[in-house]
Amino acid sequence: MRGMWMLHKRTLLRRLFISHLLLVIPVILFMGWYFSVSISDFYRDEIHQMLGNKARLFSMMIQPLLKKGEEEKIDRACETGGAQAQIRFTVILPDGRVVGDTERNPNEMDNHSSRPEIKTALNQHNEGASTRFSRTLETDMMYVAVPLQDDDGHMLAVVRASRSVSGINTTLRNIYNNITFVALLVLLFTAIVAYVVSTRINRPIDELKAGADRFAKGELSHRLKMSDVEEINLLGGAMNQMAAQLDERIHVITEQRNELQAVLASMAEAVIVVDNEGRITRMNKAAGKMLGINHKTVLNRSFPDAGVSQPLCDFLQEIFRTDWLLEREIVQGDEEPPLFLQAHGTIIRNEGAASQMPSRLGALIVMNDITKLKRLENIRRDFVSNVSHELKTPITAIKGFVETLKDGALQDPENAEGFLEIIGKHADRLNTIIEDLLNLSRIESDGDQREVERTDYSVRELTENAHMLCQAAATQKGIQIVVDCPRDLTTSLNARMIELALVNLMANAIKYTPERGLVALRAQEDEHTVSLSVSDTGLGIPKDSLPRLFERFYRVDKARSRDMGGTGLGLAIVKHIVMAHAGRVHVESKMGQGSVFTIVLPKG
Ligand code: ADP
């Protein structure tokens, strides 16, 4: 069925089938024609010969009668001889007059001298023949006329034997019909054989085509079956090899692409690749995050279209204009604080590519988020200037009083003692600042290297120690300290550090609480954490200062803090101690009502 359908199309099967038929049909037609013509000629020749013989035989019979001029007997001989041989005999005298005829009365017959066969016999003294329609008998007739001469060579008459050829035609038609029938049978047989042969040739090609279709659909692991035709086998083998190579290459390419995607996705650096028209062809997640756009939906879009900021658009233009690696610092985003990006950009070259490929594939931009670095740099700069400033104040004071003493105050023992006391106080302050700075840097480096030594320690003991250390200052201001800690609460911590943090928080609470206030130190635990909170009934802290409270040297009221001997480093120390314990510290405060600082430490 499928094969028959295939014949409607310009398939190989159809071509093979048709060429088989084209080869066979002319042969059959030619053979049919050749046999028909040969048979027809053979029949006609036979009849011709037979008529000639009969005419000669008959002429010998009637020769005596002719010599005697017995015309009636001649006519009768024609009738009887013709009836016997089923042949029509006609005897014509040299003047064309008919003297005897098998079928008709000679007297009613016209002059026959103009008949072509008679003409030949009379004029050329030779046998004449003709086949034509006889008006006398109204049928196709073959005529053979032989001259009858006497011994001297005088023409006596022409004897003509004739016979209807309609019988021959019928016989020939039957033969033609038979030939046609056989030819049709041969044609049908040939068609069947041609179809079978064509299908056999076509089948392996069809199988190849089906296999190639599967390759085209991506089923490259499919293998073509080997055929018993050598050429098809070679072709199938080559196609199998090609599919295997293609499969391997696709496998390698897919692996490389996946690897590249995985590398790009896991990179902290932003990577953007654009083509020569400036359209984004690749962007990793980090880039999308830095630029605040969806890295998947911007593919194939230009920078402005994708919503990339103007400075980066300008940078891309510059990369396309120049030919070397460019570096820029780009400020990204309108929000505060903005992102600081360090961008590197270069043209991507098509190294080692065939000459017809473009030499430039596009441009590559790699960006690092240096906001943190920038902030650290600012912090470092601020820190240096803060430290210098903090140290400068006591040193200036000390220098001033030393000058005063040198200028003569030394001679005034009463004032001199006062001045020395002030110098001593400033020297103490210098000492405190330096001690705090050293503490801070030690805690920081321990925390960075995760070298904070921890042991299981009783929190109750810790709170009591802190209470004891701060009691004197509290008593001085008439401040009551309340400690509330479960008796058996223990956790893993560095006791020296946490004690320092608690003392710092309690010292602040006492410092910034008016006389006869209340400072409470509470400890409690839940499933995962231990919380230590220091609350006071003091001044409170303005809301806008809360986020910066734990920065080094940050003070809400510089003069007041300095008067109270504060360095501005106490809370920074607390923060770093807590961070070294992987904990967190937070503050809640209401102006005029008091503040609560809470340290939350993870258990274990
Ligand atoms: P200082 O040595 O100045 O106390 P800290 O780092 O300990 O420095 O504290 C930073 C600033 O936070 C202080 O200057 C003070 O203004 C504010 N502060 C800290 N603790 C309290 C508190 N309990 N009540 C009110 N303000 C406080």
Side-chain angles (χ1 to χ4, degrees):
M1 201 55 211
R2 191 171 151 271
M4 292 312 284
W5 175 78
M6 294 284 279
L7 281 179
H8 291 294
K9 301 179 100 193
R10 287 187 136 257
T11 56
L12 183 65
L13 177 62
R14 178 181 143 142
R15 279 165 197 228
L16 283 170
F17 182 72
I18 289 175
S19 45
H20 271 96
L21 289 190
L22 282 180
L23 211 67
V24 169
I25 289 174
V27 173
I28 289 173
L29 287 178
F30 175 75
M31 299 272 278
W33 170 80
Y34 180 77
F35 279 124
S36 313
V37 169
S38 302
I39 289 168
S40 165
D41 286 353
F42 174 75
Y43 256 79
R44 282 175 200 280
D45 279 356
E46 284 288 297
I47 292 169
H48 186 154
Q49 232 163 12
M50 183 267 285
L51 285 176
N53 289 341
K54 296 274 183 195
R56 268 185 288 276
L57 212 66
F58 188 66
S59 62
M60 272 154 61
M61 271 172 59
I62 61 160
Q63 194 175 21
L65 296 175
L66 266 171
K67 277 183 180 165
K68 289 177 200 158
E70 292 181 32
E71 290 184 7
E72 249 180 66
K73 282 188 181 172
I74 293 171
D75 188 37
R76 227 172 296 132
C78 283
E79 277 171 32
T80 50
Q84 273 171 12
Q86 288 186 327
I87 287 171
R88 179 186 172 195
F89 289 116
T90 312
V91 180
I92 303 114
L93 294 182
D95 60 359
R97 192 167 59 84
V98 180
V99 287
D101 188 83
T102 311
E103 307 279 338
R104 304 282 296 269
N105 183 354
N107 297 331
E108 291 168 8
M109 291 169 73
D110 56 359
N111 190 299
H112 269 46
S113 58
S114 60
R115 303 289 195 275
E117 69 280 1
I118 308 289
K119 256 185 184 169
T120 312
L122 282 177
N123 299 340
Q124 295 167 17
H125 298 209
N126 218 336
E127 187 184 292
S130 164
T131 305
R132 64 174 183 278
F133 186 73
S134 157
R135 257 172 283 128
T136 323
L137 298 177
E138 296 193 327
T139 177
D140 276 333
M141 300 288 283
M142 182 188 272
Y143 300 95
V144 177
V146 291
L148 177 58
Q149 293 162 307
D150 62 11
D151 301 335
D152 302 334
H154 285 116
M155 181 68 74
L156 292 175
V158 172
V159 175
R160 189 179 78 172
S162 60
R163 189 186 145 169
S164 162
V165 286
S166 62
I168 307 172
N169 286 343
T170 318
T171 314
L172 278 177
R173 207 169 302 123
N174 280 340
I175 291 171
Y176 290 159
N177 285 347
N178 284 344
I179 289 176
T180 313
F181 178 69
V182 170
L184 282 176
L185 268 185
V186 170
L187 198 65
L188 183 69
F189 178 71
T190 313
I192 292 170
V193 169
Y195 179 72
V196 171
V197 171
S198 310
T199 321
R200 283 201 63 161
I201 295 175
N202 204 50
R203 191 178 302 133
I205 296 175
D206 263 357
E207 280 174 11
L208 274 190
K209 190 190 160 295
D213 279 349
R214 289 181 72 171
F215 289 156
K217 278 184 201 149
E219 292 177 41
L220 291 174
S221 53
H222 172 70
R223 289 291 168 266
L224 299 171
K225 268 190 253 148
M226 288 295 116
S227 142
D228 47 2
V229 183
E230 185 56 24
E231 288 82 354
I232 302 269
N233 240 356
L234 289 173
L235 186 61
M239 282 171 74
N240 275 345
Q241 206 179 346
M242 184 191 72
Q245 276 181 7
L246 214 59
D247 197 18
E248 198 184 308
R249 260 179 222 180
I250 289 177
H251 191 73
V252 171
I253 291 171
T254 312
E255 240 174 33
Q256 282 175 348
R257 192 198 58 193
N258 290 349
E259 202 176 279
L260 179 66
Q261 267 172 358
V263 168
L264 286 180
S266 55
M267 270 171 80
E269 288 83 5
V271 179
I272 306 170
V273 182
V274 295
D275 62 15
N276 282 326
E277 275 72 49
R279 285 187 301 252
I280 301 168
T281 54
R282 220 177 256 280
M283 181 187 267
N284 68 351
K285 203 173 165 186
K289 212 170 145 195
M290 280 183 208
L291 302 181
I293 55 183
N294 185 333
H295 68 288
K296 282 180 186 156
T297 56
V298 295
L299 290 184
N300 288 321
R301 293 216 222 146
S302 67
F303 263 27
D305 241 22
V308 172
S309 64
Q310 195 54 45
L312 205 56
C313 293
D314 296 342
F315 182 50
L316 181 66
Q317 301 260 312
E318 210 179 328
I319 296 168
F320 276 125
R321 272 200 306 273
T322 49
D323 219 12
W324 50 86
L325 183 73
L326 288 182
E327 190 188 335
R328 286 279 172 287
E329 216 174 278
I330 286 166
V331 182
Q332 169 72 28
D334 308 324
E335 293 160 25
E336 274 302 323
L339 282 184
F340 289 91
L341 304 176
Q342 186 189 41
H344 287 92
T346 183
I347 292 290
I348 307 174
R349 300 203 175 284
N350 199 1
E351 307 287 357
S355 55
Q356 65 266 32
M357 303 276 282
S359 62
R360 270 164 51 151
L361 293 175
L364 167 74
I365 297 177
V366 179
M367 295 185 294
N368 285 300
D369 183 355
I370 53 163
T371 316
K372 228 179 186 174
L373 272 177
K374 277 262 168 197
R375 217 186 61 216
L376 285 175
E377 204 180 292
N378 286 343
I379 289 174
R380 188 190 56 83
R381 206 178 301 130
D382 288 355
F383 179 71
V384 171
S385 89
N386 281 335
V387 170
S388 321
H389 185 76
E390 288 298 326
L391 295 179
K392 210 173 168 186
T393 318
I395 287 172
T396 315
I398 290 169
K399 265 181 87 178
F401 285 109
V402 170
E403 287 300 319
T404 317
L405 286 172
K406 270 179 31 198
D407 287 351
L410 208 55
Q411 267 67 47
D412 178 358
E414 226 171 83
N415 271 337
E417 202 163 316
F419 290 158
L420 282 174
E421 220 163 273
I422 297 172
I423 290 172
K425 228 169 120 192
H426 282 292
D428 284 347
R429 181 164 172 71
L430 272 179
N431 193 37
T432 324
I433 293 173
I434 287 164
E435 209 140 85
D436 275 357
L437 281 173
L438 284 174
N439 266 338
L440 197 57
S441 98
R442 210 176 299 129
I443 294 161
E444 254 183 314
S445 74
D446 284 359
D448 281 352
Q449 290 160 21
R450 309 198 182 286
E451 276 178 2
V452 176
E453 209 180 283
R454 298 195 208 184
T455 47
D456 273 343
Y457 201 85
S458 159
V459 179
R460 170 84 172 210
E461 200 178 323
L462 205 63
T463 51
E464 275 171 0
N465 285 349
H467 179 191
M468 212 170 65
L469 288 168
C470 298
Q471 186 57 61
T475 315
Q476 237 178 34
K477 282 182 84 175
I479 289 173
Q480 189 194 345
I481 298 179
V482 178
V483 177
D484 175 17
C485 177
R487 189 168 288 282
D488 54 352
L489 178 53
T490 58
T491 190
S492 162
L493 45 75
N494 184 304
R496 187 182 51 81
M497 280 187 173
I498 296 293
E499 189 184 281
L500 177 62
L502 287 180
V503 169
N504 276 1
L505 290 179
M506 284 181 69
N508 277 350
I510 294 164
K511 255 194 283 182
Y512 302 107
T513 299
E515 290 187 357
R516 277 180 287 285
L518 185 77
V519 171
L521 172 58
R522 292 194 176 86
Q524 60 189 47
E525 66 171 334
D526 63 18
E527 203 183 338
H528 303 293
T529 59
V530 172
S531 308
L532 300 159
S533 69
V534 176
S535 56
D536 62 59
T537 54
L539 303 169
I541 303 156
K543 212 168 182 182
D544 52 343
S545 295
L546 290 177
R548 301 195 57 196
L549 211 60
F550 293 92
E551 283 176 20
R552 295 179 179 102
F553 298 114
Y554 182 80
R555 281 170 287 207
V556 178
D557 184 341
K558 276 199 168 95
R560 183 200 287 264
S561 160
R562 228 172 261 144
D563 285 350
M564 293 179 169
T567 57
L569 292 168
L571 288 182
I573 291 171
V574 172
K575 186 178 95 178
H576 281 95
I577 288 174
V578 175
M579 270 166 55
H581 281 78
R584 58 180 198 276
V585 58
H586 57 90
V587 56
E588 283 163 44
S589 183
K590 267 196 182 147
M591 285 301 285
Q593 289 187 18
S595 317
V596 185
F597 286 82
T598 310
I599 293 172
V600 183
L601 299 174
K603 275 184 176 173

